[in-house]
Amino acid sequence: MAGKSYCKKINRGPKTKTKRREFYFITLFPVDITNWLIHSITLKAIYRSNILFKIINLRQDWNQQVDFTPYGGSSGMVISVAPIYDILEKHNLLNNSHIILLCPRGEKLTQTKARELEQISSSKAIVFICGHYEGIDERIRYFVSEVLSIGDYIISSGTLAASIILESVVRIIPSVISKESLLSESFNNSESEEDLDFPVYAPPKDFMGYKVPDILFSGNQTKINSFRKESKTKKINKKI
């Protein structure tokens, strides 16, 4: 039987008539996502947009043991599907939200996927199910909308993976970052190397013999733009 609901809410944004976007995190380690929310671009999103973040502590919400040794024998602990399902049902998320499971076997995150999720977030709550230890009971897949991975490597915290996906989505929500800044970013139009951002420079002009290209001091914006366009397609090497 489930215990008392534990859900921490973070929302200090402006009161607007636009539909509020909601992001849920179901995790064993809520402090991980809380620290991320108040120290990254998501903090700007909280104040600039109508966004609500809800962090659900899986262990406290269920109030029972949530992780067990896996059937069939193996190392590590596996999170049970039962408490996660209970939380989804309790918060009315099963049929009214877009539920994402973080798993290395999932579809890889790309900028295109981030844009898709941003569009989804305008009409549905997005829920991140964050695994830990050896993972989550495979049967959770019957209750999720999609399975995502942040790449071909392993980290212990599914909450960290969810944080990365969250930031890729939140930063392209209108009003969080200016349109001008987004237009010049890598992968703005495609996932190819040709859509990388151009190299940037800052003072000093000469650092240990490595100099800023003279064209950037020319004052000729047409030539500067042309230089930047050419530079975007060049692979980064140790020597420039």
Side-chain angles (χ1 to χ4, degrees), residues 111 114-115 118 167-174 176 182 185:
Q111 190 63 21
R115 284 193 287 268
E118 187 276 324
E167 181 160 324
S168 72
V169 174
V170 166
R171 65 193 313 280
I172 55 178
I173 291 176
V176 175
L182 293 175
E185 289 187 332

Side-chain angles (χ1 to χ4, degrees), residues 63-97:
N63 200 30
Q64 295 184 53
Q65 183 176 350
V66 298
D67 50 335
F68 303 85
T69 54
Y71 288 130
S74 183
S75 61
M77 303 291 281
V78 174
I79 299 173
S80 170
V81 64
I84 298 175
Y85 180 88
D86 179 80
I87 287 172
L88 293 172
E89 187 175 48
K90 182 188 302 181
H91 292 273
N92 196 30
L93 297 171
L94 278 172
N95 300 311
N96 301 296
S97 63

Side-chain angles (χ1 to χ4, degrees), residues 100-111 113-114 117 128-129 141 146-155 157-158 160-162 164-165 168:
I100 299 173
L101 172 66
L102 284 305
C103 176
R105 287 183 283 137
E107 176 187 353
K108 289 183 185 178
L109 175 67
T110 63
Q111 190 63 21
K113 172 56 67 174
L117 293 175
F128 294 100
I129 299 178
R141 290 173 179 260
E146 64 177 320
V147 183
L148 289 182
S149 165
I150 58 171
D152 293 337
Y153 54 91
I154 299 298
I155 57 177
S157 172
L160 177 57
I164 292 172
I165 297 175
S168 72

Side-chain angles (χ1 to χ4, degrees), residues 12 24 27 46 65 68 113 186 199 205-206:
R12 296 176 181 174
Y24 289 75
T27 175
I46 290 171
Q65 183 176 350
F68 303 85
K113 172 56 67 174
S186 299
K205 294 181 180 180
D206 187 328

